[in-house]
Amino acid sequence: MRLHRLAVRDYKAITHREVLFPDSGILVVEGPNEVGKSTLLDALDLVLDFKDSSRRARIREAQPIGRDVGPHVEVELSSGPYRFVYRKQWLRHCATELDILTPRREHLVGDVAHERVRALLAQTADLHLWKALRLMQADPLVPGEFASSSALAAALDTASGTAADAGGAGETLLAAAEAAYLRFFTPRNGQPTGEYRGAIERVEAARRAVAAAQEEVAAVAHDVEQHGQLAADLSRLTQGIAEASVREQEQADELSHLRQVAEGLSEARRRRDEAAAVLDRARERHSERVDAAAEIVAVTQGIDAAQALRDELRGRLTPADDELAAADAEHERAAAALEATRDEFDRASAALARRRDEHEAHALRRRLRGVREALAELAVAHAGLETDTVTTAALREIEAAAQAVDLAAAAHVAGSAAIVLRAVGGDRSIVVDGQVVDVPDGQAWESPIAEPTQIAIPGLFDVELRPEAGARPRAAAVADARDALADLLVAAGCASVSQARACHDRRHEHERQRAGAQSRLRALLDGDDHETLLGRLERLEAARARLGAPADEVPAGDPPGDTSHLEAAVGRARAAQAQARTELDAAHTRRQALRAGVEQLRLEATRAEEHVASLQRQVQDLRGRLDAARAARPDAELDGALASAGAALRAADEQLADRTARLADHDLEALRELHRAVEAEVVALRARRREVEEELIRVQARLDQAGGQGRSEAYDAARTQLEHAVRAHERLRRHAEAAKLLRDTLTSHSQAAKASYVRPFGDAVARLGRIVYGASFEVEVDDALRITARVLEGRRIPYEALSTGAKEQLAIITRLACATLVDADNGVPVVIDDALGYSDPDKLRRVCAAVGRLRGQAQVVLLTCTPGRYAAIPQAEVVRL
């Protein structure tokens, strides 16, 4: 397939563009970004792939923004024996036209034309190769997918010497084997499918049916065996229940007798406990009477001791009061001394504070003078910045615009025709566009022809010079550049570029001056502001005026004098105050201690007095209560009650011992446990007998039901069905394994044949790659004709680990190598879009040399936004957009 011409109209941002392609060789299409280079290839894909009635997103995106027109694409190409012109328009006035030029002329329209082109290309062009030999800027950097190309496969077969005459027959045999294999196995994971899978499922179902029938027969045999076992268990359980019932009755009778004996023992123990309680109460009353008399004696003795302690405390209190009065007088003298030293310290501190305030006021005046100077300098800098407005960014724009004017003028002069008039035989005068120009003898007057120019040679000629068609855009570019520069200069308030630079330099000096003034201002203010400093100075001066300056104080405008004598006076006053405070603290401590002692003596004396009175009241109360108790119950009566309660307890102990001895020969608790155990045994045996009876009924019901179901006959039928299914499965299994063996054998031979043409493909890539990388360059290629690694200077690097530039270079080399292998009649164009942006200049020249090897062998189209990128390709045709 070869491209001859591509015309695009109203397609995205392209109003109209037409590109002619050489039949063979290299075409370089240059143009800036977004001029529409990649859009041309996109238009070629749309005209070949989509009907004119399509409303797909790619079609809608092709319509120009803001214009109600339909995209139009026309392509002239040849494929096989056919050469044709193919046109389409979408969205508005949809149309499709096909003009076949060779081998015989035809004209088709509409969907018929679309289908004819698709059939024609499918018949004569390798569309897989057409996609593989393109490297677009949006595509990932892969070496290419060439395994699906029939043209490349045929070329590699020929190059490897493995091309066979069988050709299509071999492929048909492999396809037939594959079809036979797919009758029995899935294509993805080789699992049984179709009839073969049905046979396997039928065998598995028959086996499950046999197992189920066998389980049913086994269940009947199990029920028969279980019925006999349950009948025997029922007889054994009935006998066990009778025996356990007899043991339960015997133990119940013995337990009733022992309970009567235990009840008598409990009554004796209760009477003994009552007698012990009566004795305890009698002893408690007797003990309370004795304790009350003893307590009266003890409290009477305590009254004498408390009275002696009270008298002693009263004797110690009088001298303690005298000592406390002396301590109070001493404390008052120390407090007066401290007050005197405090006044002296306040006077000295006030004098020192005034002198320090004056020092601070002097420092504030100096700071404020510096602040005013910095603010004045800052105002000057701000005024300069407002006058000189050319910033660094604005200067860059002006200089860039000036450079653009120079470049546009240079391009205008270099690209435009020029007229040269040389004076011969004396000075001459000519008239150019109405202005007289003098040309001295032997010198020349020269001017580019950018606009129509009138030249008059007085008395001889009137000459009119017209510029070529391309001069006007260049002149317009110069005028636009000058206008842009003029606009920037007007905006900057400058008449020239040099004036703008001078303004920028002055602004830079103002900015430096502003930065210095701001730095000094921050240092002087030190976190404060001007108003705060003024307010502080006003407060200091107001305080000085309010307090009045001492006689030895310096004037307000002079620096303060030495303050050492004031500081020494403050130190002496502070030391005297500290000494007085120490003496006052000692006097206070002594007074507090004496006061605490006196208060403690008073408190103890008061407590002793109250204690004596309390003990006297307690004795009177105790004697009153004892007399009342004896009047109610004399001491002799309490003694008699105590003796009677002791005798009753001894009688109860004798009766309890007799009944305990009678019960000691029997273990009542053990007999209770045995009786509970035999009761539980009877209950458990009866429950188990009910369970066996119920289970026996269920087993008998299952046996009665199974007797009429014919389970043995069903088991025999299931076995017969399994045998039929196994025979059918075995027959299909042999067919399936034979088909798998045939397919695996043919596939193995086919893969071996494909592996044989990997070598010539790798050799072709290596030949072109050595132009770029040198003689040590080799590549590793897998069976799918993908580059897996690069070998250079003996070092192997996997393709994925290569740099972006190396991947891009290999992707181009691989596509060029493929184009050299395929026959020119079966080949397709190689299209490289904006590549080699990651390559250094040396690699770029070498890749260009490799591309140059294809001239005359294939059609190569290179798209680039960088003029001169492919200048090293010999005999390349260049189209500039």
Side-chain angles (χ1 to χ4, degrees), residues 264-265 267-268 271 650-660:
L265 177 62
E267 180 63 23
R271 286 196 294 271
R650 289 191 292 274
D653 285 338
E654 292 174 358
Q655 186 178 11
L656 177 62
D658 177 63
R659 292 184 180 275
T660 301

Side-chain angles (χ1 to χ4, degrees), residues 453-684:
T453 304
Q454 300 288 336
I455 299 177
I457 302 175
L460 295 176
F461 296 100
D462 284 335
V463 181
E464 181 179 358
L465 300 177
R466 298 189 182 93
E468 76 279 11
R472 188 177 300 276
R474 290 192 296 272
V478 173
D480 291 343
R482 287 174 177 164
D483 291 343
L485 175 60
D487 291 341
L488 290 175
L489 289 173
V490 169
C494 299
S496 63
V497 176
S498 60
Q499 185 179 353
R501 291 193 184 100
C503 183
H504 170 265
D505 293 340
R506 290 194 302 273
R507 180 178 179 84
H508 180 70
E509 179 61 26
H510 294 323
E511 290 176 345
R512 186 192 62 75
Q513 184 181 9
R514 179 181 62 181
Q518 289 175 340
S519 177
R520 289 194 302 275
L521 186 62
R522 284 193 298 270
L524 288 168
L525 291 176
D526 192 22
D528 294 326
D529 55 34
H530 190 203
E531 297 300 327
T532 301
L533 296 180
L534 287 175
R536 191 183 304 170
L537 179 61
E538 290 175 358
R539 287 194 298 274
L540 289 173
E541 292 180 345
R544 178 175 176 276
R546 185 172 59 255
L547 296 175
D552 61 343
E553 191 170 33
V554 297
D558 297 331
D562 185 19
T563 60
S564 58
H565 66 287
L566 296 176
E567 292 175 353
V570 170
R572 289 192 298 273
R574 184 183 291 110
Q577 185 179 9
Q579 179 64 29
R581 184 178 288 109
T582 301
E583 294 175 357
L584 177 63
D585 291 341
H588 178 74
T589 301
R590 184 169 178 273
R591 185 182 68 169
Q592 289 298 107
L594 291 174
R595 179 172 292 159
V598 170
E599 293 296 332
Q600 183 64 28
L601 285 175
R602 286 197 180 97
L603 179 63
E604 290 177 359
T606 302
R607 287 176 179 172
E609 185 71 32
E610 291 176 354
H611 185 52
V612 169
S614 174
L615 290 176
Q616 290 173 347
R617 289 193 299 272
Q618 185 179 1
V619 167
Q620 292 175 359
D621 182 60
L622 290 173
R623 284 175 178 169
R625 282 186 290 170
L626 180 60
D627 293 343
R630 283 174 174 169
R633 196 170 185 180
D635 293 343
E637 184 179 347
L638 292 178
D639 294 339
L642 180 62
S644 176
L649 178 60
R650 289 191 292 274
D653 285 338
E654 292 174 358
Q655 186 178 11
L656 177 62
D658 177 63
R659 292 184 180 275
T660 301
R662 291 172 60 188
L663 192 61
D665 296 336
H666 298 84
D667 189 350
L668 180 60
E669 188 61 30
L671 185 60
R672 287 195 185 98
E673 293 297 330
L674 289 174
H675 184 256
R676 284 195 289 269
V678 74
E679 284 180 337
E681 181 182 3
V682 171
V683 172

Side-chain angles (χ1 to χ4, degrees), residues 146-441:
F146 306 116
S148 301
S149 171
S150 59
L152 180 60
L156 292 174
D157 283 337
T158 303
S160 63
T162 59
D165 294 337
E171 294 296 329
T172 303
L173 179 60
L174 180 59
E178 184 71 19
Y181 171 81
L182 294 178
R183 278 187 55 205
F184 302 102
F185 299 99
T186 59
R188 190 165 193 170
N189 50 16
Q191 295 299 314
T193 188
E195 185 180 2
Y196 184 32
R197 180 176 178 179
I200 294 174
E201 292 174 349
R202 286 192 292 274
V203 169
E204 292 175 352
R207 284 177 178 160
R208 289 194 297 269
V210 169
Q214 189 174 9
E215 289 178 0
E216 293 292 333
V217 173
V220 173
H222 176 72
D223 285 344
V224 171
E225 181 181 357
Q226 189 179 13
H227 187 277
Q229 183 66 36
L230 289 172
D233 291 345
L234 183 62
S235 175
R236 187 172 60 256
L237 287 170
T238 301
Q239 183 179 357
I241 290 172
E243 294 173 354
S245 299
V246 172
R247 291 197 304 275
E248 180 187 13
Q249 186 60 44
E250 292 175 352
Q251 291 177 1
D253 294 343
E254 185 177 0
L255 185 61
S256 177
H257 173 68
L258 289 178
R259 280 173 179 164
Q260 293 177 359
V261 175
E263 288 175 359
L265 177 62
S266 299
E267 180 63 23
R269 184 177 289 112
R270 184 187 62 77
R271 286 196 294 271
R272 190 265 177 198
D273 292 340
E274 290 177 353
V278 171
L279 177 61
D280 290 339
R281 286 195 296 273
R283 286 174 176 170
E284 183 179 357
R285 293 190 187 96
H286 186 271
S287 178
E288 289 176 353
R289 185 66 54 82
V290 172
D291 291 342
E295 185 177 5
I296 290 172
V297 174
V299 172
T300 302
Q301 294 174 352
I303 290 174
D304 297 337
Q307 288 174 345
L309 178 61
R310 179 194 60 187
D311 296 339
E312 179 187 358
L313 291 173
R314 285 176 177 174
R316 290 167 53 191
L317 185 59
T318 300
D321 285 336
D322 296 340
E323 190 175 1
L324 177 60
D328 287 340
E330 179 65 24
H331 181 270
E332 290 177 0
R333 287 193 298 275
L338 176 62
E339 186 64 27
T341 59
R342 184 180 290 116
D343 293 341
E344 180 62 24
F345 176 76
D346 290 343
R347 286 192 296 273
S349 297
L352 179 60
R354 285 194 298 274
R355 183 59 57 88
R356 285 177 176 170
D357 288 346
E358 181 62 27
H359 182 275
E360 183 180 0
H362 180 72
L364 282 174
R365 293 187 193 100
R366 287 202 309 270
R367 285 178 67 187
L368 286 170
R369 282 197 299 272
V371 167
R372 286 192 294 273
E373 291 172 358
L375 288 173
E377 186 176 355
L378 190 61
V380 171
H382 280 301
L385 290 173
E386 292 177 359
T387 303
D388 299 321
T389 60
V390 179
T391 63
T392 300
L395 180 61
R396 289 198 190 100
E397 291 182 359
I398 291 171
E399 289 178 339
Q403 186 178 6
V405 170
D406 294 341
L407 291 175
H412 179 41
V413 172
S416 300
I419 180 171
V420 180
L421 296 177
R422 190 178 305 277
V424 179
D427 296 342
R428 304 296 183 190
S429 295
I430 60 175
V431 179
V432 181
D433 290 334
Q435 293 183 358
V436 178
V437 178
D438 294 327
V439 183
D441 183 22

